[in-house]
Amino acid sequence: AALFGLLAGPRETDVRKLLKIGFRRFFPFVFTELLVAIILIASFLPLLGFSFWYMNIGRAAASASLLRPVMETFAFAFMLALFAPPFILAVWFAFASLATAIGDARGGTAALEWSAGLVRGQWTRIMKRLAAWAVLSIVLSAAVSPLPVASWLVPLLLTLVGSAFLLVVYKELRG
């Protein structure tokens, strides 16, 4: 809870005040996290529905046809198109929980609007940074997965470093 207070900045140093701030922001933070997760999961449902349909029905129908290469290409393009909304939403709402923890937004939809406002006009730049971090994390995690201790230690450290990275990008956007 004190971490939420510390995120507010160096204004407070009293532990009791930090804990009070942290406990006040904890439940809005959790609610915002759940709201972002629900939105992202819901935005993936059309992609999952099409994938399920294509794998179980569409592919069987296409296999008997001479148009199978056309169907495969169409299905791939359609899946890419269905992947765009979750990807866009993930970049828009990447800072919603952080805005709630810091206290820039109350939480919930206000934090979603705050985050989307921060990213507005800079979506491509932010997307490139977040994508680079995701690729780096995946590559490093995969590289150490055969090692017993590193397979859990490196992802843990990457989570901490990733949180710090997100905070730095957020503060840069906030100005």
Side-chain angles (χ1 to χ4, degrees):
L3 180 62
F4 289 103
L6 286 172
L7 284 174
R11 297 180 298 263
E12 280 300 329
T13 56
D14 182 34
V15 175
R16 286 186 187 135
K17 288 182 181 179
L18 288 173
L19 285 171
K20 186 177 179 183
I21 292 169
F23 282 122
R24 193 171 1 132
R25 293 182 185 163
F26 179 74
F27 289 111
F29 171 80
V30 170
F31 175 70
T32 304
E33 281 281 318
L34 288 173
L35 187 58
V36 169
I38 290 168
I39 289 170
L40 291 179
I41 289 169
S43 68
F44 268 108
L45 290 178
L47 176 63
L48 294 174
F50 178 75
S51 297
F52 178 79
W53 172 84
Y54 184 72
M55 292 305 221
N56 292 309
I57 299 167
R59 186 173 259 177
S63 67
S65 171
L66 294 173
L67 299 175
R68 182 174 181 171
V70 174
M71 287 285 289
E72 295 279 339
T73 305
F74 172 75
F76 180 72
F78 196 65
M79 283 185 188
L80 283 179
L82 288 175
F83 185 71
F87 192 68
I88 292 168
L89 291 172
V91 174
W92 275 353
F93 301 146
F95 303 103
S97 299
L98 201 50
T100 304
I102 290 174
D104 288 340
R106 289 185 167 264
T109 57
L112 297 177
E113 290 171 11
W114 176 270
S115 179
L118 278 177
V119 174
R120 191 169 292 119
Q122 305 178 69
W123 189 89
T124 305
R125 186 170 65 95
I126 301 305
M127 181 269 307
K128 287 177 184 176
R129 288 181 178 186
L130 296 177
W133 175 253
V135 168
L136 179 67
S137 296
I138 291 167
V139 168
L140 287 174
S141 294
V144 300
S145 63
L147 305 172
V149 175
S151 65
W152 63 267
L153 184 62
V154 170
L156 176 68
L157 293 174
L158 287 172
T159 301
L160 295 174
V161 173
S163 298
F165 169 74
L166 202 59
L167 180 62
V168 168
V169 173
Y170 177 81
K171 290 202 176 217
E172 178 187 310
L173 287 172
R174 200 174 76 176

